[in-house]
Amino acid sequence: MSSQFDFENEINSLTKLDAPIWNGPIPRWRRKAETSGSANASSSFVSSPLKISNMSCSKSPTSGILTSGPNSSKCRTPGAINTPNRSQNSFKTPSRGDRYIPNRGAMDFEKSKFKLLAQDDAVDNNCSISNEEYKKALKENLVGDHGESENKILAFKDKAVPMEGYQNSSKVLYSSTKKSQANRSKSRHIPTNPDRILDAPQLLDDFYLNLIDWSTTDLLAVALSESVYLFNSTTGDIQLLLSLENTDDYITSLRWVPNGRHIAVGTSNADIQLWDVTAMKRLRNMHSHASRVGSLSWRDAILTSGSRDGHIQFHDVRIASHLVHSFAGHSQEVCGLEWSPDQKFLASGANDNLVNIWDERALQPLYSFTEHQSAIKALGWCPWQTHVLASGGGSADRHVRFWNCYTGTMINAIDTKSQVCALKWSTTTRELVTSHGFSQNQITIWSYPSMKRMQDLMGHTERVLYLAISPDGKTVCSGAGDETLRMWKCFDVKGSKGQSSGSQKSGGSKVAPCFAIR
């Protein structure tokens, strides 16, 4: 009878879900206690697994507490037999991160409800779908199949789905978690100190003039009152190119021919002179404007000039009758002229607050932009998007605006908070540089197209009226009303990361008195 009672008691315990499993494997916490060598743990848990057959457990009808014989202690709940005293043991039950929480943002609830109801209707109507087909359809709708995340009912995260036309879909899938190139840091070191400072006495403080230009042969031309000097940035040599005979006249504009061997010079007496730099002699003098020539731009052998009389003229310097075309482009002084890199468009800016876009065959501008509220001298074409023009307004406008000259629309406008005197695009990075007047007289470097302000270059004490970029695209030369020229290596991407020095060795005995290198 005793063995039958034990057998029935063991069967009864096995059928209860809340009863302890005596014949199962040793719990993990008990194995840890056995290997730890703790005295308390070894005395409590090292014994072999308990056997139900060795216990005579009964249930008290009054208290509902299990007892095991006349000398047994109270067995409260079965789980309490296997649970160690947490205050006496250093181990803890590990937490389990096995919960899968669907991402509500990646699910389409209406489509999911429709699919679930459609499956229920198919089962209720005894459709001819087999059990395997039903399971397959249910799996596709619940967790998706073959990457069709838009058909999921439960979605745990957004998965990358390659667009149509990708040949390597796995590359799109497994590279979706990588940090994109656009979000990576694009910051670079920009020296805030000028690489070289030169005195430029009698550099005119006139917003409407263009008095410095850098050739492809690395010669910087600088107009100081009635004289033009050539500065070689490699050797430091300075040469006097020309001086006007009448000291009351002064130089109003400069522009190198793309080959770097000739230069056009505009003067206050409405003349345009063409000089051979190699031979150091004047080739010809052209007179056709009624007032001073403040802006020049080359298109192959055609020189375009803008004057205070508001006219824009085209000169073919190869023939005796140089004037081939002339039209009244503006009502006031033309202070900015730039041909696009592909030479399809000519941009002109003037004191009448207009930016006009021309081609050589049009007697009227293709587009006339009126958004600026002040004179526009700062003009620049994007080197890698030749139809994009940037223009900067004067003290009453203070905006840099970008134009699409294919469509005649404005792309963007940025308030710089100060007068925009000059503007140049970088040829080495996707950036541009602008020079400004009151109140900080700074030079600002912008990233394009975000137009994030990358660096302000300080040092000039008067408005920075003139800018030129070296042929290698690394150095920017700025000229200001404080009669100084400063060289900034702001686009030297591969240069040293240290601060640039503020001085360089001079060119020796050949340095002209007009420049004194600091």
Side-chain angles (χ1 to χ4, degrees):
M1 293 297 291
S2 176
S3 62
Q4 183 178 0
F5 175 76
D6 292 340
F7 176 74
E8 292 179 354
N9 190 19
E10 185 175 358
I11 295 300
N12 188 28
S13 299
L14 291 174
T15 56
K16 290 183 179 180
L17 297 178
D18 58 348
I21 302 175
W22 303 105
N23 295 326
I26 300 175
R28 183 180 179 184
W29 58 266
R30 182 177 293 179
R31 293 198 304 270
K32 282 189 174 182
E34 290 176 357
T35 57
S36 64
S38 174
N40 294 333
S42 61
S43 62
S44 302
F45 305 116
V46 170
S47 59
S48 60
L50 297 177
K51 304 285 187 178
I52 292 181
S53 59
N54 296 331
M55 296 181 63
S56 177
C57 294
S58 62
K59 190 173 183 179
S60 173
T62 58
S63 61
I65 302 175
L66 295 176
T67 60
S68 58
N71 297 325
S72 64
S73 61
K74 293 183 180 181
C75 303
R76 298 181 182 274
T77 60
I81 298 175
N82 296 332
T83 305
N85 187 356
R86 294 182 181 272
S87 63
Q88 297 178 358
N89 296 278
S90 60
F91 57 86
K92 296 182 181 180
T93 302
S95 60
R96 297 171 182 172
D98 57 352
R99 296 184 63 197
Y100 291 93
I101 303 176
N103 182 4
R104 298 173 65 90
M107 296 186 290
D108 189 342
F109 291 101
E110 294 183 358
K111 183 184 293 186
S112 302
K113 182 179 179 182
F114 170 77
K115 290 181 176 293
L116 286 174
L117 294 178
Q119 295 293 345
D120 293 339
D121 293 341
V123 175
D124 294 340
N125 297 331
N126 296 323
C127 294
S128 61
I129 302 178
S130 64
N131 189 27
E132 293 298 329
E133 292 177 348
Y134 172 73
K135 289 182 179 180
K136 182 179 179 181
L138 186 62
K139 177 184 176 181
E140 292 179 358
N141 291 324
L142 285 175
V143 297
D145 192 18
H146 304 295
E148 297 178 358
S149 59
E150 67 273 8
N151 294 330
K152 292 181 181 179
I153 294 176
L154 297 179
F156 301 104
K157 65 178 181 178
D158 294 324
K159 288 190 176 181
V161 180
M163 298 176 62
E164 184 179 357
Y166 276 95
Q167 295 181 355
N168 189 356
S169 59
S170 298
K171 182 179 180 181
V172 179
L173 178 63
Y174 292 108
S175 62
S176 61
T177 58
K178 294 183 179 179
K179 189 174 182 180
S180 64
Q181 187 71 22
N183 294 331
R184 293 179 184 176
S185 176
K186 295 182 179 180
S187 60
R188 62 179 181 87
H189 174 72
I190 301 176
T192 56
N193 293 330
D195 183 66
R196 182 177 294 175
I197 303 176
L198 301 98
D199 282 327
Q202 296 183 324
L203 181 64
L204 298 181
D205 185 6
D206 193 328
F207 177 82
Y208 302 97
L209 305 184
N210 295 273
L211 300 182
I212 66 174
D213 194 28
W214 213 323
S215 73
T216 56
T217 57
D218 202 19
L219 288 177
L220 177 67
V222 182
L224 302 179
S225 187
E226 75 280 359
S227 302
V228 175
Y229 292 89
L230 303 179
F231 173 69
N232 190 320
S233 61
T234 303
T235 62
D237 294 341
I238 298 176
Q239 289 179 304
L240 175 63
L241 177 64
L242 69 97
S243 289
L244 299 180
E245 297 177 357
N246 188 353
T247 57
D248 292 334
D249 295 333
Y250 55 91
I251 308 298
T252 55
S253 57
L254 296 171
R255 183 57 66 99
W256 285 95
V257 179
N259 61 21
R261 294 180 302 209
H262 302 87
I263 187 172
V265 179
T267 65
S268 59
N269 60 1
D271 286 341
I272 300 175
Q273 298 182 9
L274 186 62
W275 282 75
D276 185 342
V277 176
T278 305
M280 299 294 288
K281 67 177 183 179
R282 188 176 68 182
L283 298 179
R284 66 183 305 175
N285 186 75
M286 299 177 288
H287 184 91
S288 55
H289 283 287
S291 185
R292 70 178 187 179
V293 182
S295 54
L296 298 169
S297 185
W298 286 93
R299 182 181 183 270
D300 295 330
I302 304 299
L303 175 64
T304 308
S305 60
S307 173
R308 179 181 277 180
D309 57 15
H311 282 73
I312 298 175
Q313 296 182 355
F314 294 82
H315 311 269
D316 191 340
V317 298
R318 298 168 297 183
I319 58 178
S321 301
H322 57 86
L323 184 60
V324 295
H325 193 51
S326 177
F327 47 83
H330 296 270
S331 60
Q332 296 189 39
E333 182 170 10
V334 180
C335 49
L337 278 179
E338 287 291 338
W339 278 100
S340 62
D342 57 6
Q343 299 187 342
K344 291 182 179 179
F345 301 107
L346 173 68
S348 63
N351 197 32
D352 56 3
N353 306 344
L354 294 180
V355 176
N356 289 335
I357 307 299
W358 314 78
D359 65 17
E360 61 176 353
R361 298 164 296 179
L363 298 178
Q364 298 295 327
L366 300 177
Y367 303 107
S368 186
F369 303 131
T370 61
E371 282 76 3
H372 282 291
Q373 304 300 317
S374 185
I376 305 102
K377 186 186 83 167
L379 295 173
W381 292 92
C382 179
W384 59 90
Q385 289 179 312
T386 57
H387 64 283
V388 174
L389 173 70
S391 60
S395 56
D397 182 73
R398 303 181 301 275
H399 280 73
V400 174
R401 303 179 189 271
F402 298 89
W403 314 93
N404 186 334
C405 293
Y406 284 160
T407 61
T409 57
M410 185 171 66
I411 302 173
N412 194 7
I414 301 297
D415 187 0
T416 64
K417 309 298 183 183
S418 60
Q419 180 188 41
V420 183
C421 302
L423 182 151
K424 294 292 181 180
W425 290 85
S426 170
T427 57
T428 59
T429 61
R430 298 214 164 188
E431 299 166 357
L432 66 154
V433 57
T434 56
S435 64
H436 301 271
F438 181 82
S439 62
Q440 294 184 331
N441 306 312
Q442 82 278 14
I443 301 168
T444 303
I445 301 173
W446 310 82
S447 63
Y448 183 83
S450 65
M451 289 307 293
K452 176 183 177 182
R453 188 187 298 262
M454 299 185 63
Q455 187 68 57
D456 285 334
L457 306 178
M458 313 299 292
H460 285 291
T461 58
E462 298 290 339
R463 57 181 180 174
V464 187
L465 296 171
Y466 316 110
L467 286 180
I469 293 186
S470 62
D472 60 6
K474 296 180 180 180
T475 306
V476 173
C477 176
S478 60
D482 56 7
E483 297 185 346
T484 63
L485 296 177
R486 296 171 188 257
M487 308 291 184
W488 312 85
K489 288 191 175 295
C490 51
F491 296 131
D492 190 5
V493 179
K494 297 182 181 180
S496 61
K497 294 185 178 181
Q499 292 286 345
S500 298
S501 62
S503 63
Q504 296 285 342
K505 63 181 180 179
S506 65
S509 59
K510 292 184 180 180
V511 177
C514 64
F515 288 115
I517 300 178
R518 295 179 178 177

